[in-house]
Amino acid sequence: MHARKIGAAAATALAVLAARDLIQKKHALLRNFPVIGHARYLLESIGPELRQYVVTSNEEERPFSRDQRSWIYASAKEENNYFGFGTEVDVEHVQGHAYVKQRTFAGALPDAHDPQAPLPSAKVLGGPRGRAKAFRPASVVNVSAMSFGSLSGAAITALNKGAALAGTMHNTGEGGLSPYHRNGGDLVLQIGTAYFGCRNEDGSFNLDKLKDVVAGAPVKAIEIKLSQGAKPGLGGMLPGAKVTPEIARIRGIPVGKDCASPSRHTAFSDVDSMLDFVELLATETGLPVGVKSAVGEMGFWQELATLMARGDRGVDFVTVDGGEGGTGAAPLIFTDSVSLPFRMGFSRVYGTFAELGLTDELTFIGSGKLGLPENAAVAFALGADMINVAREAMLSIGCIQSQKCHTDTCPTGIATQNPWLARGLDPSSKATRAAVYLRTLRKELTKVSAAVGVAHPALITADDIEIMNGDYEARTLAGVYGYKDGWGQLGPHLADEITALLTTNPTTAPRPAL
């Protein structure tokens, strides 16, 4: 009898659903195929999961393949991150694949197996321009810009604690410096076009508020964001419904009101006035100041390098973001087709400064899917001095690549402000995983450097890596990207200094916290 009642209730529900489908006019599919048409929408909704776990091979899925995610997960958990039985990459036919050329002999090298081994930057950030608070970054791998608001407070807390444990820096993102950024990690304060945290009521920049923010937190450098790989040249809109009292307080905006971020800065209008702004911030705070940008037209970079060649003004670092960057939600056209990919964009920017002999005068930072050893090695060979990792850091604290960052329904509590979802992320345990991942990536870079016969990844050159071009031809990075002799390499004094720092007396190098 009970089973009959259940069956009758189910049949009634299906009949009601069928009647509704036949009457409604929104979906033609459901009018033509009532009830069973819903299967299409169900399959569409779980499509990413089906592709991720069932359909695609270990090397096919994007933006991160199953093998890449597995390496990050295993590294973060201190599990075996080796792979057995050879490569799944079709090594002779995959166009664009990078191959590192090992050397048979080498001089003194640091211990490539010590997970706590220091791997500082080869350059002193702010040193060439004599900034009062110039310093040598303790890690060449750092956490990239991701704002509180885009990520949950629990996620920001985990990343900041992880950065502190690994001895890396943590970029605040343009959303302002939140309480969640104050968990021990050194900070790079990012200033975006809306000047969150250091703005007047009309949205213009406020220097005094910036100085207050810097004075009250472990800020090591300031980064002016011109654009980012996910949405270059595009402003943002934070709907009033998402402007909670907490976010309003951190960003310096009214509670419950829409907040539009302009696509361009209002504190300066060209390269000349931008350099005046950079020097103002550096003078008033003593901190190194740089810019972050995706790469589009090259006139901006050419003018920047030309003005810096005079020697009186300049940025201390340049963060080049690849168009494949993706932590920020954006329209599909911007995600897929606006701004150059990292390798092409970075090589053009680097070459612009190299033509004028300026590459030792500033630090080059790369971002855009560089949290994997192969991509990172290529970035260093092209001339990067440090790299920033974003999505890979998210993966290390539990991201499953569900690609729901823009919906506020992130199932792992990372890219959401939903309290119920965010509570599932334990900041303490995830901080440890983030730290282990960051240290592991540094160790892998040390191993790759040792294979090439050099003490530091910044000493890998554009001739040490080849790129497959067609089925049976390969060209060096230098050849692919038009590098001249010496491009992508440190000056002799910088090369000797970092080699001595890591091999002659490695105890003098800054060591990450345990």
Side-chain angles (χ1 to χ4, degrees):
M1 182 66 70
H2 187 64
R4 288 181 181 177
K5 289 182 178 179
I6 293 176
T12 300
L14 288 174
V16 170
L17 179 62
R20 176 187 174 278
D21 288 345
L22 289 168
I23 295 172
Q24 61 84 36
K25 298 181 179 179
K26 185 176 181 180
H27 301 289
L29 178 67
L30 297 182
R31 295 190 76 186
N32 293 336
F33 301 96
V35 181
I36 62 173
H38 288 277
R40 183 263 184 192
Y41 298 105
L42 173 63
L43 291 172
E44 182 182 47
S45 68
I46 62 173
E49 288 79 6
L50 287 174
R51 291 189 294 273
Q52 181 170 340
Y53 296 110
V54 180
V55 179
T56 57
S57 73
N58 290 341
E59 282 296 317
E60 283 182 333
E61 195 179 358
R62 295 292 181 267
F64 292 89
S65 70
R66 187 178 296 124
D67 277 350
Q68 290 170 338
R69 296 196 314 275
S70 295
W71 180 83
I72 294 172
Y73 293 147
S75 297
K77 297 174 185 177
E78 291 189 282
E79 296 175 350
N80 185 344
N81 63 1
Y82 283 29
F83 288 76
F85 212 63
T87 180
E88 292 189 42
V89 177
D90 188 2
V91 294
E92 291 184 335
H93 305 101
V94 175
Q95 182 116 5
H97 192 71
Y99 297 92
V100 180
K101 299 186 291 186
Q102 84 280 4
R103 285 191 173 88
T104 304
F105 302 108
L109 298 172
D111 182 357
H113 298 283
D114 179 5
Q116 303 295 339
L119 193 57
S121 172
K123 293 176 180 175
V124 175
L125 194 63
R129 300 210 57 78
R131 306 303 188 197
K133 297 179 182 178
F135 69 103
R136 184 188 299 274
S139 174
V140 297
V141 178
N142 297 285
V143 179
S144 194
M146 293 176 283
S147 301
F148 169 62
S150 296
L151 301 193
S152 67
I156 295 292
T157 299
L159 291 173
N160 191 258
K161 287 185 174 181
L165 290 170
T168 73
M169 293 185 292
H170 181 193
N171 193 305
T172 64
E174 66 179 310
L177 201 160
S178 73
Y180 310 105
H181 289 103
R182 301 173 185 268
N183 284 280
D186 286 336
L187 301 173
V188 176
L189 178 65
Q190 188 180 84
I191 301 174
T193 57
Y195 308 114
F196 291 130
C198 53
R199 59 187 262 146
N200 297 308
E201 289 186 5
D202 63 356
S204 59
F205 175 71
N206 186 305
L207 179 61
D208 290 332
K209 289 184 178 180
L210 172 69
K211 292 167 69 174
D212 288 342
V213 170
V214 168
V219 176
K220 303 285 286 185
I222 295 173
E223 180 179 81
I224 302 167
K225 194 194 88 167
L226 305 176
S227 63
Q228 66 185 91
K231 45 186 177 183
L234 182 69
M237 170 62 76
L238 187 64
K242 291 187 176 182
V243 183
T244 64
E246 182 181 36
I247 289 179
R249 183 174 63 255
I250 293 166
R251 298 195 176 196
I253 57 180
V255 177
K257 293 186 178 181
D258 291 348
C259 179
S261 299
S263 61
R264 307 292 192 276
H265 279 266
T266 57
F268 50 86
S269 58
D270 53 25
V271 177
D272 187 63
S273 58
M274 185 192 78
L275 287 178
D276 287 340
F277 187 66
V278 167
E279 294 298 333
L280 172 67
L281 301 189
T283 299
E284 293 292 329
T285 66
L287 297 171
V289 179
V291 296
K292 173 182 179 177
S293 181
V295 180
E297 60 88 22
M298 290 301 297
F300 164 79
W301 300 102
Q302 292 161 358
E303 186 176 356
L304 176 59
T306 299
L307 291 178
M308 283 185 61
R310 300 176 184 176
D312 57 333
R313 297 173 301 165
V315 297
D316 298 296
F317 63 95
V318 166
T319 303
V320 176
D321 199 13
E324 62 271 52
T327 56
L332 185 62
I333 178 67
F334 284 83
T335 298
D336 289 350
S337 303
V338 181
S339 83
L340 298 176
F342 172 77
R343 294 180 185 180
M344 184 174 293
F346 183 90
S347 62
R348 291 185 184 182
V349 170
Y350 183 91
T352 300
F353 287 92
E355 287 282 9
L356 299 177
L358 298 174
T359 54
D360 284 352
E361 303 303 312
L362 70 161
T363 293
F364 291 91
I365 304 173
S367 63
K369 206 176 176 181
L370 301 184
L372 301 163
E374 173 203 329
N375 293 346
V378 170
F380 282 108
L382 288 172
D385 302 298
M386 298 193 295
I387 60 170
N388 289 340
V389 297
R391 285 173 292 180
E392 300 90 336
M394 291 168 64
L395 289 166
S396 77
I397 63 171
C399 170
I400 60 171
Q401 194 170 282
S402 64
Q403 297 177 295
K404 300 183 185 298
C405 310
H406 60 297
T407 66
D408 203 39
T409 59
C410 170
T412 58
I414 296 173
T416 180
Q417 294 302 306
N418 183 304
W420 173 256
L421 294 172
R423 67 174 290 278
L425 193 157
D426 175 52
S428 297
S429 62
K430 298 301 186 183
T432 300
R433 291 191 179 183
V436 173
Y437 159 70
L438 293 166
R439 288 196 294 257
T440 301
L441 178 56
R442 284 200 304 252
K443 183 177 71 172
E444 294 284 303
L445 288 171
T446 302
K447 288 181 178 180
V448 172
S449 302
V452 178
V454 295
H456 190 279
L459 298 173
I460 300 174
T461 74
D463 290 319
D464 292 325
I465 295 179
E466 295 199 10
I467 302 294
M468 285 297 296
N469 179 32
D471 286 353
Y472 302 106
E473 179 188 2
R475 298 170 62 194
T476 64
L477 278 177
V480 171
Y481 295 106
Y483 272 31
K484 298 180 180 179
D485 288 345
W487 286 18
Q489 300 179 29
L490 296 172
H493 69 288
L494 291 174
D496 292 343
E497 186 176 72
I498 193 61
T499 300
L501 189 63
L502 294 180
T503 59
T504 305
N505 187 14
T507 59
T508 62
R511 295 182 66 87
L514 299 178

